[in-house]
Amino acid sequence: MSDFKNLRSTYPKDSDYPERTHLLLALTRVLDGSLYDALEYPFSTEKNGAGEYIPLAQRRPSARNKFLPNRRQ
């Protein structure tokens, strides 16, 4: 599974809408910089409260960027 598909699987999904809607909402998260907001742990947290290792795929990245600059209106 690709990284994006794995990340997309963490997003809430409404079964009343088609798969295309879920994909478009995920791509919107890429553009507005919120694609990692669904991940609970920051990158620097290696263990959860129970002392278990948190895989990198379940941690937010340490550096964030918006893909599109703010446009002047």
Side-chain angles (χ1 to χ4, degrees), residues 8-54:
R8 198 174 100 193
S9 70
T10 66
Y11 300 155
K13 185 176 181 179
D14 190 339
S15 60
D16 293 336
Y17 293 99
E19 180 62 28
R20 181 174 184 270
T21 301
H22 189 243
L23 173 61
L24 291 174
L25 290 172
L27 293 172
T28 301
R29 286 177 179 242
V30 171
L31 294 177
D32 70 15
S34 65
L35 70 158
Y36 298 109
D37 289 353
L39 299 177
E40 180 180 354
Y41 302 101
F43 184 78
S44 59
T45 303
E46 291 188 14
K47 297 188 178 195
N48 63 16
E52 300 166 326
Y53 176 75
I54 302 167

